[in-house]
Amino acid sequence: MISSTAGADSITDPGAAQDMHGYRAHAIEPDAIARALSYALAQPSDVDVNEIVVRPARQR
């Protein structure tokens, strides 16, 4: 998973930086990750959340 805050600004290789820019075009905003985790944490104690898959909707 890559979020829009994933520190890619420090990449010094021009080719790698361009590749990361294209990759980050499909990044998930941190707020979306927080909402998914909040949903899981808000479940009642008799619900066991074992796995969460979060990905951009365009990646379905």
Side-chain angles (χ1 to χ4, degrees):
M1 170 185 64
I2 192 89
S3 75
S4 61
T5 60
D9 298 333
S10 62
I11 297 174
T12 57
D13 179 86
Q18 184 175 358
D19 289 345
M20 182 56 80
H21 178 73
Y23 186 65
R24 287 178 70 179
H26 305 290
I28 298 173
E29 291 299 318
D31 183 63
I33 302 297
R35 288 191 318 264
L37 293 175
S38 292
Y39 168 80
L41 293 170
Q43 299 310 300
S45 62
D46 61 337
V47 173
D48 188 12
V49 178
N50 289 310
E51 186 174 328
I52 300 173
V53 177
V54 180
R55 63 176 163 245
R58 65 181 353 173
Q59 233 182 13
R60 290 184 202 167

